[in-house]
C-alpha cells in the first residue's frame, strides 16, 4: 500500500512501479535522442551538442545539430508524446483499445484538412491550420452523431470508424482531382514523416503539450473512475459530462497539433497506451506513461526508418503502419481467444 501524496486540496496515490517505468522510459527517450543526434553520415560527439545548440561549436556541427538533427528529434519526441497522450485519453473514454484517434476519425479528419490545404497549394502554416481545423470538425461530427443522452464508448467507436472510412474516401477523391505535383506532395504528406522538420514544427507541439498536459493530469483521476462506468462515476461524485468534454477537447487538440507537425503517423496513438499499461501493470490506461511510451516509440521508429535501408530513408509513418498492423492483428487474435 503506497502513501497518498497531498498538494494543497489535491491528493494522489503514486504507483512505485509506474514511477520506475516512467524513469526508464525517460532514459530510453534520451538515449534514442542522443543516438539520433550524434550518429549518421557525420558523427557528432555528445560533448559538442550543447555548444552547437548555443552557437559555440564549429559551423559544421552547428548546421548538423541545430538545423538538421535536433529539430527533427525534438519534433519526434513531442509528436510521439502528443499521439500517446491523445490515444490514452480516447481509449480511456471508450474503454476500448480500438478507441484511438487513428480509428475513430480524428487523425483522418486532420489528414483530410491537411490534404485539402496541400492540393490547394497552401503554405506550411495553412497546412497546419487545415489539419487542426479538420481534426476539430471531425471530432464535433463524431461526437454529435454518437450523442444520445450522453456518449457511450461503444457507440463512439462505431460512429468514429464510419466517419474514418468516409474521410479516407474523401482523401482519395481529393488526390484524384488534384494536379499531379500537388497529388504527389499530398501523398508524401499522408505517409507521415519527420524528414525536414524544423523548430517551427517542434515548438507548436511543445507549447501544446505544456498547456494540455496539466489539463490531462487534472482529468486523469476522474477518467479512471469513469472506466468503471458512468453510473459508478456519478455515484462517487464525478461530473461525467464536463470531465468527458474537457478530455475530448484536450485529446482532439493533441491529435490535431501532432498531425499538423508530422502528418498522420498511424498506430502510435493506439499502441502506446496499451504498451504503457502492460509495462506499468496498471488496471487502466495511464496518461503520463502513455505519453512517454509514444515519445520513445516514434523517436526509435524514425531512427530505424533512417538507418534500416540507408541511404534510402523511409517515412516514419510507413514503418509504424507496418509494425502497428502486426500489433493490431495480435491484439485482435488475443481478444478472439
Amino acid at each position: 500500500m503506497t502513501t497518498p501524496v497531498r498538494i494543497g486540496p489535491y491528493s494522489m496515490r503514486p504507483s512505485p512501479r509506474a514511477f520506475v517505468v516512467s524513469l526508464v522510459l525517460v532514459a530510453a527517450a534520451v538515449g534514442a535522442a542522443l543516438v539520433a543526434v550524434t550518429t549518421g553520415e557525420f558523427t557528432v560527439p555528445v560533448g559538442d551538442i550543447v555548444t552547437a545548440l548555443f552557437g559555440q561549436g564549429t559551423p559544421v556541427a552547428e548546421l548538423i545539430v541545430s538545423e538538421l538533427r535536433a529539430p527533427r528529434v525534438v519534433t519526434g519526441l513531442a509528436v510521439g508524446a502528443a499521439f500517446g497522450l491523445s490515444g490514452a485519453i480516447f481509449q480511456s473514454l471508450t474503454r476500448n483499445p480500438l478507441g484511438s484517434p487513428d480509428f475513430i476519425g480524428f487523425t483522418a479528419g486532420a489528414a483530410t484538412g491537411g490534404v485539402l490545404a496541400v492540393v490547394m497549394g497552401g503554405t506550411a502554416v495553412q497546412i497546419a491550420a487545415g489539419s487542426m481545423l479538420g481534426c476539430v470538425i471531425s471530432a464535433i461530427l463524431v461526437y454529435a452523431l454518437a450523442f444520445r443522452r450522453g456518449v457511450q464508448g461503444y457507440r463512439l467507436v462505431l460512429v468514429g470508424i464510419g466517419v474514418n472510412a468516409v474521410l479516407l474516401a474523401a482523401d482519395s477523391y481529393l488526390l484524384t482531382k488534384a494536379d499531379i505535383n500537388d497529388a504527389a506532395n499530398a501523398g508524401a504528406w499522408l505517409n507521415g514523416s519527420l524528414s525536414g522538420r524544423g523548430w517551427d514544427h517542434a515548438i507548436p507541439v511543445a507549447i501544446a503539450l505544456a498547456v494540455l498536459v496539466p489539463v490531462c493530469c487534472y482529468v486523469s483521476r476522474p477518467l479512471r473512475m469513469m472506466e468503471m462506468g458512468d453510473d459508478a462515476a456519478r455515484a462517487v461524485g464525478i461530473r461525467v459530462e464536463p470531465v468527458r468534454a474537457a478530455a475530448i477537447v484536450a485529446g482532439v487538440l493533441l491529435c490535431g497539433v501532432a498531425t499538423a507537425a508530422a502528418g498522420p503517423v498511424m498506430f502510435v496513438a493506439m499502441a502506446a497506451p496499451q504498451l504503457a499499461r502492460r509495462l506499468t501493470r496498471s488496471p487502466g490506461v495511464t496518461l503520463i506513461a502513455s505519453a512517454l511510451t509514444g515519445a520513445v516509440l516514434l523517436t526509435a521508429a524514425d531512427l530505424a526508418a533512417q538507418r534500416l535501408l540507408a541511404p534510402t530513408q523511409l517515412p516514419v509513418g510507413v514503418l509504424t503502419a507496418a509494425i502497428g498492423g502486426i500489433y493490431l492483428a495480435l491484439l485482435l487474435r488475443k481478444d478472439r481467444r
Side-chain angles (χ1 to χ4, degrees), residues 119-140:
V119 299
M120 292 177 67
T123 63
V125 174
Q126 290 170 331
I127 294 170
S131 295
M132 286 296 301
L133 188 61
C135 188
V136 171
I137 291 175
S138 64
I140 293 173

Side-chain angles (χ1 to χ4, degrees), residues 7 9 78 115 137 163 167 220 233 246 262 323:
I7 303 176
V115 168
I137 291 175
V163 171
L167 291 171
S220 175
I323 298 174

Side-chain angles (χ1 to χ4, degrees), residues 73-117:
V73 169
V74 174
T75 303
L77 290 169
V79 168
F83 274 133
L85 199 51
S86 179
I89 288 173
F90 287 110
Q91 289 183 22
S92 178
L93 283 171
T94 60
R95 300 191 289 276
N96 191 325
L98 298 181
S100 79
D102 311 47
F103 293 92
I104 58 176
F106 301 163
T107 304
T112 302
V115 168
L116 187 60

Side-chain angles (χ1 to χ4, degrees), residues 138-303:
S138 64
I140 293 173
L141 181 61
V142 170
Y143 192 86
L145 292 174
F147 190 88
R148 185 182 299 169
R149 299 177 184 175
V151 175
Q152 300 300 318
Y154 186 67
R155 191 162 57 240
L156 183 68
V157 171
L158 290 180
V159 171
I161 289 175
V163 171
N164 190 68
V166 172
L167 291 171
L168 292 178
D171 292 344
S172 300
Y173 176 78
L174 289 173
L175 292 179
T176 59
K177 292 297 181 181
D179 174 80
I180 187 169
N181 293 322
D182 292 337
N185 292 332
W189 186 81
L190 277 174
N191 284 325
S193 175
L194 293 173
S195 178
R197 296 309 186 264
W199 294 114
D200 55 333
H201 296 90
I203 291 175
V205 190
I207 293 174
L209 285 171
V211 173
L212 295 174
V213 165
V215 176
C216 296
C217 291
Y218 181 73
V219 301
S220 175
R221 183 176 176 275
L223 281 177
R224 294 287 295 275
M225 301 301 294
M226 288 164 60
E227 289 181 7
M228 297 186 299
D230 290 355
D231 292 339
R234 289 190 182 97
V236 295
I238 302 297
R239 299 174 63 195
V240 171
E241 290 304 329
V243 169
R244 180 178 284 127
I248 288 177
V249 169
V252 168
L253 293 179
L254 286 167
C255 176
V257 74
T259 307
V265 181
M266 300 300 289
F267 286 105
V268 174
M270 187 200 75
Q274 294 303 311
L275 291 174
R277 180 181 178 183
R278 284 160 176 74
L279 289 172
T280 58
R281 295 180 184 174
S282 169
V285 174
T286 55
L287 299 185
I288 298 302
S290 299
L292 293 172
T293 305
V296 174
L297 281 180
L298 191 56
T299 306
D302 186 52
L303 186 61

Side-chain angles (χ1 to χ4, degrees), residues 303-329:
L303 186 61
Q306 295 178 62
R307 309 293 168 80
L308 283 179
L309 300 177
T312 301
Q313 294 191 13
L314 294 172
V316 67
V318 172
L319 193 64
T320 59
I323 298 174
I326 297 172
Y327 175 77
L328 178 60

